[in-house]
Amino acid sequence: MCIRDSSWIDSHIPGRGAVDRRHVLKVSAKIPKYRMRAKLVAVFQPVSLKEFSTEFSDLFAVMQEYKPYYQVSGYLMKEFGDLVAGEVGCDIRELKHSEDEGSLNREFVRPYVTITLSDLLVKDGDLEVTFEYWDTIDHDILTFDASYAQNFGKKWKAAVGTSYEAYDYDNITMEEKEQVRTYFLKLKYKLMKNAWLRAKYSYLEDKYDSFSKLELALQLNF
């Protein structure tokens, strides 16, 4: 399956003409016989995003200038029976001009391997462990993510774990944080067929500081 998507902004402004915003190419495949699937996503932003209309985003002034870049992400996943699955993948992000490297404009390479074990401890529980290597301009690090998710009947689901991000934008403080290790607890409750209540508590440690965050949400699917 192949999907291609392109978008433009400010084409309605007289004399300005259409400006490329972003081009996305998605390719996916499944091989049921071998219980395998693969996906490739390529994103290309050809121009800087700055000083466009607020119809593009009401946050662009906060986020400053988003430099041209391309990013390719892909993975191959295989199930080994009903209890074990393995995935290998890689994320590559490059700026059109390397000298643009800075806050919100980053280059990195992130290869990873993920192992998922189902019903290991109790029924309806999934243990997932990811080993990943971050290659960035600031540092190279071999690290991991891990989580355990458990269903309790048909209405409750809980998850606990830890994850790592070389760069993470905090939409509360409106700052980019580096080398962020997060420890989290998630709860999800099904209210009705298409509605869920969600809560997430996170404790985060970055390069310079540590802090906690609580998020509450009502999820509606239409």
Side-chain angles (χ1 to χ4, degrees):
M1 182 179 188
C2 180
I3 300 175
R4 181 176 179 179
D5 176 59
S6 298
S7 57
W8 293 264
I9 51 178
D10 280 350
S11 59
H12 64 288
I13 298 179
R16 182 159 190 172
V19 179
D20 282 348
R21 173 185 172 185
R22 191 175 68 165
H23 304 286
V24 180
L25 176 66
K26 299 179 181 180
V27 180
S28 60
K30 291 183 179 181
I31 310 177
K33 179 180 178 180
Y34 297 103
R35 305 183 71 165
M36 298 176 64
R37 64 174 181 261
K39 188 173 184 178
L40 179 68
V41 179
V43 180
F44 176 53
Q45 178 191 300
V47 297
S48 294
L49 297 183
K50 183 180 181 181
E51 297 178 351
F52 290 113
S53 70
T54 54
E55 291 181 8
F56 161 62
S57 171
D58 56 1
L59 296 176
F60 81 91
V62 175
M63 296 181 68
Q64 303 172 11
E65 187 172 5
Y66 210 26
K67 299 291 187 178
Y69 75 98
Y70 74 84
Q71 182 166 336
V72 178
S73 301
Y75 71 82
L76 174 65
M77 191 279 285
K78 177 174 174 55
E79 296 177 356
F80 300 91
D82 296 329
L83 304 180
V84 182
E87 177 179 321
V88 294
C90 188
D91 303 316
I92 302 173
R93 191 179 195 278
E94 295 285 343
L95 295 168
K96 185 175 181 180
H97 306 289
S98 295
E99 59 269 23
D100 289 336
E101 177 92 17
S103 180
L104 302 176
N105 295 284
R106 300 294 186 178
E107 293 185 323
F108 59 80
V109 178
R110 175 187 169 262
Y112 67 89
V113 176
T114 298
I115 300 172
T116 303
L117 303 176
S118 300
D119 299 340
L120 177 66
L121 302 178
V122 294
K123 185 176 175 58
D124 296 326
D126 293 320
L127 175 64
E128 183 174 285
V129 180
T130 297
F131 299 96
E132 56 190 352
Y133 179 77
W134 287 87
D135 180 2
T136 75
I137 192 173
D138 298 315
H139 67 286
D140 298 342
I141 182 170
L142 177 64
T143 184
F144 73 97
D145 301 344
S147 65
Y148 180 78
Q150 179 69 52
N151 290 316
F152 298 94
K154 296 181 179 181
K155 290 184 175 291
W156 286 95
K157 184 175 183 178
V160 61
T162 180
S163 61
Y164 176 87
E165 294 287 342
Y167 307 106
D168 187 28
Y169 183 77
D170 187 337
N171 55 12
I172 296 178
T173 62
M174 296 184 180
E175 296 177 342
E176 182 187 67
K177 300 184 180 298
E178 300 180 31
Q179 302 178 35
V180 182
R181 168 62 65 182
T182 301
Y183 303 91
F184 62 84
L185 172 63
K186 299 179 183 179
L187 293 174
K188 188 175 181 179
Y189 177 72
K190 187 175 183 179
L191 289 172
M192 55 187 71
K193 182 178 180 180
N194 297 317
W196 291 264
L197 283 176
R198 294 164 47 191
K200 180 181 179 180
Y201 170 76
S202 305
Y203 176 77
L204 301 92
E205 296 177 330
D206 66 14
K207 189 176 181 180
Y208 304 104
D209 202 0
S210 62
F211 53 97
S212 298
K213 182 166 59 174
L214 178 63
E215 301 169 81
L216 301 173
L218 172 63
Q219 179 182 331
L220 300 174
N221 289 356
F222 299 95

